[in-house]
Amino acid sequence: MSKGLGALVFVAGVAALSYWGAQSHAVTMERKIAAEAMSLIAQTVHPMSVSVIGRDIALAGTADNEAELAGLVDGLNDIRGRRVVNAEGVTVLPLVEPYETALSKAADGSIAATGYAPTAAARDALAADLPGLAGLLLGHGAPEGWAGALAAGAAALAPLEEGSAALTGTTFTLAGMAATPFEENETRAALAGLDGFETVVAIEVLDPGIVDFQIGYDASEGFRIAGTVPGSLGRDAIAAALGGVELDGEVSTTFAGLDGLEAALVALGARLGLFESFDLTASDDGLSLAAEPMAGLDGDTVRAALVEGLGDGEGITMIASTAPADGAERVNAATGRRQFAQGGVWMNMPEFEPSKATCTQAARDTVEAAPIRFVTGSAELDPVSLATVNEVAGIIHLCTREAGMRVVIGGHTDAQGDDTANYALSLARARAVRDALAARGIDTVRMTAVGYGETEPVADNDTEEGRAKNRRTTFEWPE
């Protein structure tokens, strides 16, 4: 080989070796720059990407603020061997002052969000359970604890029917409507652990759980109701408890109940015939009743009947009765019976054609259902029997006036005691009934009081039950 050719080969080898070395060194340098750049951007708040071509560095992504971007660029500029740092692909988040994020819950349960989130990661973490948050914009300046505050806000809205939660700087405001105090308490509990924020909460409770209603009754006009009643009963069940009456008026319902209410209404309904009017008030404090007895009935006796039924007399007030004008007529709203006024009392108008048989049977049925009682050992009418006297008065009025018949009022005793004393007591009791009927407008000429003593028993006098049946008042119409 000639010297010229050898020199050429040597020069070519050196050039090739130099080129390979340069290329290998450039790749190594690029990798080194890329590794250091990746290490720097790994510390950023938001996703950031870096590309290195040769020794030129290019950034793309989002910076939380200008200071973060400047620090990042400074760090990249400090990498040995780099040539150019290009940050034009980086978006800097706007500074939001005051920082605002708001949630709103609609009546259908959906939650929408407006305002800003500090990072996509924080936003997406919440949006996993609340898709409405996915549309939040990114902004710089969120208060510390932003994610916890928004999570608490979402939890606080969950029990509400509808509402809104707004975070403005470090002030957290929540407003909405809760179905009951239970949901309100759940909402407040969800915010109890919210530290570092001033909280402002305004919740309207749709059903505060308060029973508060009134029932009014007038025998001539009927029943009315107003207020808030337990939902467990409702208006229809209250009407049923009172005996299937018709209740006029509007009511709302509450989840709350009132112990003993239904039993008290049933007891009151069973005694409606004792009242001319009443006003019943029911509240969380209990029941109170202002009642006017039917004219001709004893107020203390009616009160005693109420106490027996309601179990408590503290809330019962009796009002003096007003006597109706003789000749007045009406339909009793509680009983549905036609009534007429005579002798200052209301009497039921019998609904049968008067005859000896029908008059006898009607009077017998009445006193068997509710016997006429007397104070023990005397001829004084027991006040509890005045309602029966009123009922009988209506029958006798029809039979003596319309049919022109006469009635014999018989007094009967049991066999205990002296025969003569029993006769005198039976006669006195028959006369007491006659006088009570006369006070109710029955013509005394049409009534005769007779005492039978113990001579006409209808049961065995050896038992108390039998003796009670023998102590009775009878009504008969002679031919």
Side-chain angles (χ1 to χ4, degrees), residues 167-179:
L167 183 63
T168 304
T170 57
T171 299
F172 185 91
T173 303
L174 183 139
M177 292 188 295

Side-chain angles (χ1 to χ4, degrees), residues 2 21 265 289 365:
S2 68
L265 292 173
L289 180 70
D365 291 345

Side-chain angles (χ1 to χ4, degrees), residues 206-407:
L206 300 177
D207 179 2
I210 297 174
V211 174
D212 184 11
F213 69 94
Q214 299 77 41
I215 297 176
Y217 166 70
D218 184 281
S220 297
E221 299 177 2
F223 295 83
R224 63 189 184 280
I225 187 170
T228 303
V229 305
S232 57
L233 287 178
R235 173 187 172 136
D236 292 344
I238 289 175
L242 286 170
V245 303
E246 292 186 8
L247 285 174
D248 290 332
E250 298 298 326
V251 297
S252 57
T253 59
T254 175
F255 70 88
L258 189 60
D259 291 341
L261 173 60
E262 186 171 13
L265 292 173
V266 170
L268 186 61
R271 294 162 173 79
L272 290 178
L274 300 177
F275 306 112
E276 180 61 32
S277 67
F278 68 72
D279 285 296
L280 174 71
T281 299
S283 70
D284 290 340
D285 296 328
L287 299 176
S288 63
L289 180 70
E292 177 189 355
M294 189 72 71
L297 299 186
D298 178 72
D300 290 338
T301 302
V302 174
R303 178 185 174 82
L306 285 172
V307 172
E308 178 186 9
L310 302 181
D312 183 8
E314 289 187 6
I316 298 175
T317 302
M318 302 306 296
I319 302 171
S321 300
T322 301
D326 286 357
E329 295 187 6
R330 71 179 182 186
V331 175
N332 187 290
T335 65
R337 297 283 300 275
R338 292 169 59 230
Q339 294 182 318
F340 64 96
Q342 188 69 34
V345 300
W346 287 104
M347 290 180 278
N348 289 326
M349 194 174 294
E351 297 179 353
F352 59 84
E353 289 296 325
S355 68
K356 177 180 178 179
T358 58
C359 292
T360 299
Q361 188 64 48
R364 180 181 299 156
D365 291 345
T366 299
V367 295
E368 286 182 355
I372 296 175
R373 304 294 188 191
F374 299 86
V375 176
T376 302
S378 77
E380 181 183 351
L381 280 166
D382 188 330
V384 76
S385 294
L386 293 179
T388 302
V389 173
N390 287 348
E391 182 72 19
V392 170
I395 297 170
I396 295 178
H397 192 278
L398 172 69
C399 295
T400 59
R401 185 185 64 180
E402 301 295 334
M405 294 189 294
R406 295 175 56 85
V407 63

Side-chain angles (χ1 to χ4, degrees), residues 412-414 456-461 466-472:
H412 303 263
T413 68
D414 58 35
E456 296 186 0
V458 293
D460 189 349
N461 275 302
R467 289 191 293 272
K469 290 181 178 180
N470 289 331
R471 298 190 296 269
R472 69 195 190 280

